[in-house]
Amino acid sequence: GSLADCNTMTVSWGHFGVMWNLPTVWCHVRPSRHTFGFVEREPLFTLSFLRPESRKALEYCGSHSGRDGDKIAAAGLTLFEAEPGAPAFREATIIAVCKKLYTHALDPDRFLDGRIAANYASGDYHTMYLAELVRLLVRE
């Protein structure tokens, strides 16, 4: 996406690893999130890891929707293109640029452990994105 047409959300569930002999990232987005449409539409997405002193920005982004206004600006974050079509934050210390490889909507009938269902009382099951880690930027 472009810098003018992007969104952000906070995430705490995901993985870095290897799949299909590629460095990969797995992340999960609920379809109810404003970010879902952006991740569905775009071939690339970024994961930005912020410093502990950016906690207030993270809390703001995690408690406000981009549907209601420019939460990136309201959080005091500054966008730049980490790669063409891959917006990220200048305030980040680590930025993972990811290219989608596979997507799958979680199916509650396939949960093998009863504890998992407690995460989905509303029935808003995540969609999983498996993406190639195409670039990792480490900034000071």
Side-chain angles (χ1 to χ4, degrees):
S2 71
L3 293 182
D5 187 26
C6 66
N7 190 54
T8 187
M9 63 179 267
T10 58
V11 298
S12 57
W13 295 351
H15 299 106
F16 283 81
V18 177
M19 182 75 180
W20 301 313
N21 298 312
L22 297 169
T24 54
V25 171
W26 296 0
C27 66
H28 304 79
V29 181
R30 293 180 192 264
S32 62
R33 298 295 297 260
H34 185 52
T35 298
F36 181 78
F38 293 87
V39 178
E40 281 287 297
R41 180 185 74 203
E42 299 296 334
L44 300 175
F45 63 88
T46 60
L47 302 173
S48 296
F49 296 83
L50 302 177
R51 293 178 174 86
E53 55 267 25
S54 296
R55 188 81 190 145
K56 285 186 179 182
L58 284 172
E59 289 172 358
Y60 185 88
C61 289
S63 62
H64 292 79
S65 174
R67 289 183 183 101
D68 301 327
D70 186 349
K71 76 175 184 179
I72 294 170
L77 298 171
T78 311
L79 288 169
F80 80 105
E81 278 192 305
E83 291 280 324
F89 299 117
R90 290 199 186 282
E91 295 79 7
T93 55
I94 300 171
I95 298 167
V97 179
C98 307
K99 177 185 172 192
K100 290 188 307 187
L101 297 172
Y102 177 81
T103 184
H104 181 80
L106 295 184
D107 178 354
D109 292 336
R110 301 197 52 93
F111 293 161
L112 302 178
D113 186 315
R115 295 174 294 177
I116 298 169
N119 293 286
Y120 297 102
S122 69
D124 190 16
Y125 300 99
H126 285 93
T127 294
M128 180 201 66
Y129 296 93
L130 175 59
E132 180 180 6
L133 178 59
V134 295
R135 185 170 180 207
L136 188 68
L137 290 86
V138 179
R139 305 160 47 99
E140 293 187 26

